[in-house]
Amino acid sequence: MQSLEEQLLKSTRVFEGKIIRLRVDTVRLPDGRQATREVVEHPGAVAVVPILGDGRIALVRQYRHATRQLMLEIPAGKLDKGEDPDVCAARELEEETGFISRSLRKVATVYTTPGFTDEIMHLYVAQQLEPSVQRPDEDEFIQLEYFTRDELRAALQQGAINDAKTMLGLLLAGI
Amino acid sequence: MQSLEEQLLKSTRVFEGKIIRLRVDTVRLPDGRQATREVVEHPGAVAVVPILGDGRIALVRQYRHATRQLMLEIPAGKLDKGEDPDVCAARELEEETGFISRSLRKVATVYTTPGFTDEIMHLYVAQQLEPSVQRPDEDEFIQLEYFTRDELRAALQQGAINDAKTMLGLLLAGI
């Protein structure tokens, strides 16, 4: 059977940003022809489903400039350079919700959109939450809200939750 | 309560590619300070969970240059300019699997990763499949494979499926 793999021939750096970097690669296709691939490099991220003792879920509402709308999402954030995803998950959970978890469990690791980016997302479920102090990043304006499972199911059905990692995290948490 | 929204102050086009475009925006934060936002513009996409009459699911295996690996995914593709997502879903299903569906149902619309891109993904479940002709895009090398629900559950648990839209689509299809 013919291999499906592509061979890298040339790589051109196009952009180096604060968060993402962009390169345009030339590859050799399995049939010998050439094609270009636009690749967004991302440091990777974590996202956490925080489940309170009474079964409610904590979500953050925040404005997303890329989509130009307020979105309801599970707490999430980018990996610092070299940071362990487990450490990052605990950090982001505490920063965005003010909770520390005594049961933080990884439930999946996925590529968010492999057609054009290497972004990898580690998804967690956090239980046994204890109050600490919420302290979002300085350019992050978020509002913490709590939902019952019934409210979340309704929000999912109505399209009020339209963020992929949030929908996936909630389904993996059994919502 | 303070608004969470950001106001666009300035927008600079950085890259215009074949598939994505990149701009760097300056925004005014809710507290009056300024921040930059890197935004990848994407035409939007569809993805389809094709369920055969015998309950098996058709997936495509393809090499993803961005993640440098062979990945197992539900059939998917980008929207052509102005294309209706329903039309695109039927087209991509036929191109990648060689099936026409007499029951193509939208199950979700999500932003894939709203922190840095406007990419929107329309997810479908396709049933009542009838054979047509597989004809992938000319720079697309894919291999069609069929899985029972039990095989898919095992693949999900083992991490053999690590694409977000695929995992989400399978869960929404009740796998």
Side-chain angles (χ1 to χ4, degrees), chain A residues 1-8 14-27 29-31 33 35-40 42 61-71 73 107-119 121 123 138-143 161-165 167-168 171-172, chain B residues 1-8 14-27 29-31 33 35-40 42 61-71 73 107-119 121 123 138-143 161-165 167-168 171-172:
Chain A
M1 197 187 71
Q2 190 184 39
S3 162
L4 298 168
E5 299 206 3
E6 301 172 357
Q7 313 269 294
L8 178 65
V14 175
F15 173 74
E16 301 237 18
K18 269 196 338 175
I19 293 167
I20 58 175
R21 309 198 305 163
L22 177 64
R23 59 174 211 267
V24 177
D25 289 352
T26 304
V27 298
L29 298 173
D31 66 1
R33 287 178 305 138
T36 62
R37 301 286 183 228
E38 299 155 5
V39 179
V40 173
H42 186 281
R61 194 181 294 274
Q62 66 183 313
Y63 184 75
R64 289 300 200 172
H65 178 72
T67 63
R68 295 181 188 269
Q69 63 188 262
L70 283 166
M71 293 181 71
E73 302 178 31
V107 291
T109 296
V110 292
Y111 287 101
T112 55
T113 182
F116 70 87
T117 179
D118 64 0
E119 184 189 20
M121 169 80 63
L123 281 162
E138 64 162 17
D139 69 345
E140 202 170 44
F141 294 83
I142 64 178
Q143 181 176 304
I161 290 172
N162 60 1
D163 168 51
K165 70 176 172 300
M167 198 175 282
L168 183 55
L171 290 171
L172 288 169
Chain B
M1 197 188 74
Q2 192 184 37
S3 162
L4 298 168
E5 299 205 4
E6 302 172 356
Q7 313 267 291
L8 178 65
V14 174
F15 174 75
E16 301 237 16
K18 269 196 336 176
I19 292 166
I20 58 174
R21 310 198 304 164
L22 176 64
R23 61 174 210 268
V24 177
D25 290 352
T26 305
V27 299
L29 298 173
D31 67 0
R33 287 179 304 138
T36 61
R37 299 287 184 230
E38 298 156 5
V39 179
V40 173
H42 186 280
R61 195 179 293 274
Q62 65 183 312
Y63 184 75
R64 290 299 201 173
H65 177 72
T67 63
R68 293 179 189 270
Q69 61 188 262
L70 282 166
M71 293 181 70
E73 302 178 33
V107 291
T109 296
V110 292
Y111 288 101
T112 54
T113 182
F116 71 87
T117 179
D118 64 0
E119 185 190 20
M121 170 80 63
L123 281 163
E138 64 163 17
D139 68 346
E140 202 170 45
F141 294 82
I142 64 179
Q143 182 176 308
I161 290 173
N162 60 1
D163 168 50
K165 68 177 173 300
M167 197 176 284
L168 182 54
L171 290 172
L172 288 170

Side-chain angles (χ1 to χ4, degrees), chain B residues 3-111:
Chain B
S3 162
L4 298 168
E5 299 205 4
E6 302 172 356
Q7 313 267 291
L8 178 65
L9 297 176
K10 197 182 115 186
S11 190
T12 305
R13 172 73 50 207
V14 174
F15 174 75
E16 301 237 16
K18 269 196 336 176
I19 292 166
I20 58 174
R21 310 198 304 164
L22 176 64
R23 61 174 210 268
V24 177
D25 290 352
T26 305
V27 299
R28 186 180 304 285
L29 298 173
D31 67 0
R33 287 179 304 138
Q34 295 187 10
T36 61
R37 299 287 184 230
E38 298 156 5
V39 179
V40 173
E41 298 174 359
H42 186 280
V46 301
V48 184
V49 182
I51 306 180
L52 278 72
D54 64 6
R56 286 181 307 158
I57 314 283
L59 296 184
V60 293
R61 195 179 293 274
Q62 65 183 312
Y63 184 75
R64 290 299 201 173
H65 177 72
T67 63
R68 293 179 189 270
Q69 61 188 262
L70 282 166
M71 293 181 70
L72 208 47
E73 302 178 33
I74 52 176
K78 290 175 295 297
L79 292 165
D80 286 339
K81 199 176 168 72
E83 190 177 29
D84 182 271
D86 293 2
V87 173
C88 182
R91 179 176 61 73
E92 289 290 348
L93 176 68
E94 188 176 4
E95 285 177 6
E96 297 202 351
T97 69
F99 285 115
I100 290 171
S101 167
R102 293 174 57 195
S103 165
L104 188 62
R105 184 168 53 91
K106 193 188 283 187
V107 291
T109 296
V110 292
Y111 288 101

Side-chain angles (χ1 to χ4, degrees), chain B residues 125-140:
Chain B
V125 170
Q127 291 176 288
Q128 300 186 40
L129 302 177
E130 295 177 359
S132 170
V133 182
Q134 187 191 13
R135 41 161 205 283
D137 288 345
E138 64 163 17
D139 68 346
E140 202 170 45

